[in-house]
Amino acid sequence: MTAQIIDGKAVSIQCLERIAQEVAKRKENHQRVPGLAVILIGDNPASQVYVRNKKNACEKVGFYSLSIEKPASFTEDELLTLIDELNENPEIDGILVQLPLPDHIDGQKVIERIRPDKDVDGFHPYNIGRLAVKMPLMRPCTPKGVMTMLDAYGIDIKGKNVTIIGQSNIVGRPQALEMLMKRATVTICHTATRDLAEEVSRADIVVAAVGRPACIQGAWIKPGAVVIDVGINRLENGCLCGDVDFETAKERASYITPVPGGVGPMTIASLLENTLEAAQLHDKTSN
Ligand code: GUN
């Protein structure tokens, strides 16, 4: 069997078109366009690319986008003050602080300073907690994008064995909560997992979010399984590659996401969806 490729780029374009239509409607109704502030501290090259992609996507759908770039010497107090200002700014519906932050800044403190209704990353403990009790408000973007993509391809989740490799706050944990909401039987693997190959081979759906190139071998994949590769790893030759050994896995899977062009564009689509939802929430509460 050769897997069908899940085209995340195409699904993300459909999402962006829907959002652009909503923005056009808002303009017709003389409503504010949604506003997103993206903060980048320091000069991490990968973060610079991600932030540029987010800004370009905002412009495509007609959002107001505020891009704030500060040197690595920016202090934690300065960042917290900046967040306080954006929390109070009525033109801003969403605030995103690109991670990772320099070592002298406490990332969790920063995340918790963002007003939960403007936390379009969905990382605030309030938003994670809401997801955990099946009452999501702002849903973390990458796991949400994975769910949107599976839905777009009509892939059923209820009752399936889902194995997630990676337990990060950004992907693994919220992905498990998303899958649980859809009534999957969920396994989360991490560095203390005893037999990773065995856990992967039991899965109907595999979500790899490790951050190590091609560490999930094709031979571990159950024939017919769905393989979602969240990893974006840059190799020494400059190429991007996922966490899954794509060439071998695609010969066993029924569906598989490529890297690039799979999960990555869906993360941005979810961010824009969250920003639109935040604006709709703020319509009701006048910010
Ligand atoms: N760094 C890697 N992924 C993300 C993300 O989804 N949001 C933010 N803010 N930083 C990240």
Side-chain angles (χ1 to χ4, degrees), residues 76-77 80 83 105-114:
E76 184 179 287
D77 276 345
L80 294 173
I83 291 170
I105 300 180
D106 177 348
Q108 196 56 30
K109 198 165 169 186
V110 169
I111 287 168
E112 293 189 29
R113 192 68 159 242
I114 298 170

Side-chain angles (χ1 to χ4, degrees), residues 38-39 47 50-51 54 95-101 111 114 120-123 140-143 170-171 267-268 271:
V38 177
I39 303 171
S47 292
Y50 295 143
V51 165
K54 288 169 187 177
I95 303 168
L96 180 145
V97 180
Q98 186 64 30
L99 302 176
L101 285 165
I111 287 168
I114 298 170
V120 283
D121 256 329
F123 294 162
C141 298
T142 299
I170 296 182
V171 184
T267 298
I268 296 186
L271 172 68

Side-chain angles (χ1 to χ4, degrees), residues 36-243:
L36 175 67
V38 177
I39 303 171
L40 174 63
I41 313 286
D43 51 11
N44 179 321
S47 292
Q48 285 169 336
V49 173
Y50 295 143
V51 165
R52 197 182 325 128
N53 290 344
K54 288 169 187 177
K55 189 173 180 335
N56 289 343
C58 276
E59 282 162 12
K60 252 187 220 155
V61 299
F63 283 3
Y64 166 54
S65 113
L66 183 59
S67 184
I68 302 170
E69 298 194 10
K70 299 289 181 187
S73 58
F74 203 58
T75 67
E76 184 179 287
D77 276 345
E78 286 172 319
L79 179 54
L80 294 173
T81 304
L82 174 60
I83 291 170
D84 289 343
E85 286 163 12
L86 294 167
N87 277 341
E88 292 305 315
N89 184 340
E91 289 186 339
I92 296 298
D93 297 290
I95 303 168
L96 180 145
V97 180
Q98 186 64 30
L99 302 176
L101 285 165
D103 289 344
H104 65 275
I105 300 180
D106 177 348
Q108 196 56 30
K109 198 165 169 186
V110 169
I111 287 168
E112 293 189 29
R113 192 68 159 242
I114 298 170
R115 247 170 61 177
D117 56 292
K118 293 195 177 191
D119 168 38
V120 283
D121 256 329
F123 294 162
H124 193 291
Y126 175 83
N127 283 316
I128 295 290
R130 289 203 62 126
L131 184 62
V133 296
K134 300 174 282 182
M135 293 173 68
L137 186 70
M138 292 292 147
R139 296 160 60 196
C141 298
T142 299
K144 179 181 177 178
V146 168
M147 302 313 274
T148 306
M149 204 158 56
L150 292 174
D151 187 53
Y153 277 80
I155 296 166
D156 200 24
I157 296 167
K158 185 174 158 190
K160 297 282 174 66
N161 285 338
V162 174
T163 294
I164 298 163
I165 308 115
Q167 57 146 358
S168 70
N169 291 345
I170 296 182
V171 184
R173 284 165 193 255
Q175 189 72 74
L177 294 171
E178 290 279 358
M179 290 293 184
L180 199 52
M181 273 220 306
K182 293 286 181 192
R183 309 193 61 215
T185 301
V186 182
T187 303
I188 308 182
C189 301
H190 41 73
T191 49
T193 297
R194 288 200 204 133
D195 190 343
L196 183 59
E198 161 68 16
E199 300 296 347
V200 170
S201 69
R202 284 191 301 106
D204 303 306
I205 302 175
V206 179
V207 181
V210 188
R212 209 160 354 107
C215 63
I216 307 299
Q217 297 176 25
W220 300 349
I221 304 295
K222 178 161 102 173
V226 175
V227 177
I228 305 294
D229 194 346
V230 177
I232 303 177
N233 308 293
R234 193 164 291 280
L235 302 177
E236 274 177 13
N237 64 10
C239 291
L240 287 181
C241 109
D243 291 345

Side-chain angles (χ1 to χ4, degrees), residues 16-34 58-64 276 280:
L16 263 55
E17 282 169 357
R18 259 197 315 270
I19 295 167
Q21 283 168 11
E22 286 300 320
V23 174
K25 265 196 230 160
R26 289 178 69 87
K27 283 186 183 160
E28 274 170 34
N29 296 336
H30 307 289
Q31 286 175 295
R32 225 169 27 79
V33 296
C58 276
E59 282 162 12
K60 252 187 220 155
V61 299
F63 283 3
Y64 166 54
L276 175 62
Q280 289 164 342

